[in-house]
Amino acid sequence: MTRKHLLLVAAFILPLLGFSQDLSSHYKIYDVKKQKLISIDDIITDLDKADVLFFGEEHNDSVGHYLEAEIFKKIALAYPGKAALTLEMFHTDVQPVINEYLSGIISEKNFIKEGRAWNNYKDYRPMIEWAKTNKLDVIGANGAARYSNVVTKSGLDALKQLPEGSKRFIAPLPIDTATGRYYDKFIETLGGHGMGGMKVYQTQNFWDATMAWSIATYAKNNKGKKIFQVNGRFHSDEKLGTLAKLNKYAPKLKILNISSFAPDDFSQPNWNSYKNLGDYIILTDPTVKKTF
């Protein structure tokens, strides 16, 4: 590793040391196929034969956020110039703002405000800063709230009324509503049926489709990239949601997925109960302070 790389790594890691000096005891990574505990480096090696790696997070998990940053950093170092970051946490219509910040043109204050960063942006900041320092692409993948509000209020068909210029920020219409296991999971989470629930579920499908389309479009235009997609784990657990829609939009892409969460059985996990969630299961220590 060159001196330049060492300095970049130091700049990335030092802000996190206060939280992560002994982090190794606060997470466990399980390879479902190999049925054994593995390291982050094992995932990075497996990515050699894949195009996209999903990280399904719990939004308030401090350890999970640390691991996201570590994984993205390791992808960038293992595959120089090939790493790219796609995020649920930024919308497609703020891509110019993201690009302006990555290029060093606008201030971080303006980026956070005009990029409509989430309230817990500090949790994703290490990945953004790593990308900025190393000139890596960051893609805002999700559909803007004004569009999801339209769907929640009036259903997916209402998106057809958007001006043509607005439609470029969302997945191609019509967007289908997933049935089967994904719908059942959603209703279980929501706690009941009804048209109100169905419109909310259509909003979920809108987010899934737009994120999947963003990834597929980027992958098509940037051959050979190793894409790291970060989203709430409901969007990708069991390879449903966004991941399933990406398979439809880009069936040739090879996809791996991580489901990361803080379980009650962290000390003695029942790995068999989690094996359907993804290729890798990351369990984080629920006793560690959450981010919000």
Side-chain angles (χ1 to χ4, degrees):
M1 187 179 294
T2 66
R3 184 174 182 274
K4 179 181 179 182
H5 277 134
L6 287 171
L7 289 173
L8 292 177
V9 171
F12 179 77
I13 291 176
L14 286 175
L16 301 172
L17 287 179
F19 170 73
S20 61
Q21 287 178 346
D22 187 26
L23 198 62
S24 61
S25 63
H26 295 296
Y27 69 87
K28 300 172 183 179
I29 307 176
Y30 184 76
D31 186 311
V32 171
K33 184 177 181 180
K34 296 176 182 176
Q35 299 183 39
K36 67 176 185 178
L37 292 173
I38 61 170
S39 68
I40 293 176
D41 289 336
D42 293 320
I43 298 177
I44 304 305
T45 299
D46 290 348
L47 191 57
D48 185 57
K49 297 181 179 179
D51 306 297
V52 183
L53 175 62
F54 275 74
F55 191 108
E57 67 166 31
E58 290 185 334
H59 296 319
N60 66 342
D61 185 354
S62 297
V63 180
H65 291 309
Y66 171 81
L67 290 170
E68 290 165 353
E70 274 292 289
I71 290 171
F72 182 53
K73 177 196 73 177
K74 285 179 175 286
I75 293 171
L77 293 175
Y79 306 97
K82 293 184 177 181
L85 180 65
T86 58
L87 295 168
E88 173 191 359
M89 298 78 197
F90 286 93
H91 300 135
T92 55
D93 64 324
V94 301
Q95 191 62 50
V97 180
I98 297 172
N99 294 343
E100 288 160 9
Y101 180 65
L102 294 177
S103 299
I105 299 171
I106 65 173
S107 70
E108 183 176 33
K109 181 179 179 180
N110 285 123
F111 166 62
I112 290 172
K113 180 181 179 180
E114 298 183 42
R116 304 195 301 271
W118 283 16
N119 290 337
N120 66 322
Y121 173 69
K122 63 181 177 57
D123 296 319
Y124 308 105
R125 184 178 185 272
M127 292 189 289
I128 300 292
E129 291 303 309
W130 178 264
K132 182 182 179 185
T133 299
N134 292 279
K135 301 187 184 304
L136 303 175
D137 292 336
V138 176
I139 304 302
N142 207 359
R146 62 184 182 275
Y147 302 137
S148 60
N149 288 344
V150 167
V151 179
T152 303
K153 179 181 178 181
S154 305
L156 282 166
D157 283 344
L159 293 174
K160 296 176 182 177
Q161 301 173 30
L162 288 174
E164 290 304 311
S166 300
K167 291 177 182 177
R168 65 192 176 96
F169 296 121
I170 64 176
L173 302 177
I175 294 171
D176 68 307
T177 303
T179 57
R181 173 61 183 158
Y182 195 54
Y183 174 74
D184 293 340
K185 279 181 61 180
F186 186 84
I187 293 301
E188 289 169 12
T189 303
L190 194 66
H193 295 261
M195 280 309 296
M198 175 54 73
K199 289 177 182 177
V200 174
Y201 181 60
Q202 288 188 348
T203 304
Q204 181 81 7
N205 281 258
F206 164 72
W207 288 328
D208 288 329
T210 301
M211 284 192 282
W213 181 252
S214 297
I215 299 166
T217 301
Y218 181 82
K220 181 180 179 180
N221 294 331
N222 298 271
K223 302 293 185 182
K225 292 284 188 175
K226 302 295 183 181
I227 301 171
F228 187 49
Q229 159 73 3
V230 177
N231 52 243
R233 71 185 186 95
F234 196 95
H235 288 289
S236 51
D237 271 4
E238 300 184 43
K239 301 191 176 183
L240 299 171
T242 303
L243 199 157
K245 289 189 182 298
L246 179 57
N247 271 324
K248 290 184 178 180
Y249 290 139
K252 292 184 178 180
L253 287 180
K254 296 178 181 178
I255 305 168
L256 295 172
N257 100 319
I258 296 167
S259 180
S260 177
F261 53 98
D264 293 333
D265 66 347
F266 175 77
S267 59
Q268 293 182 311
N270 178 5
W271 293 112
N272 192 56
S273 67
Y274 302 132
K275 66 182 182 181
N276 65 321
L277 296 177
D279 297 296
Y280 313 100
I281 310 302
I282 297 182
L283 302 187
T284 64
D285 188 345
T287 67
V288 174
K289 183 179 178 181
K290 301 302 181 181
T291 54
F292 61 89

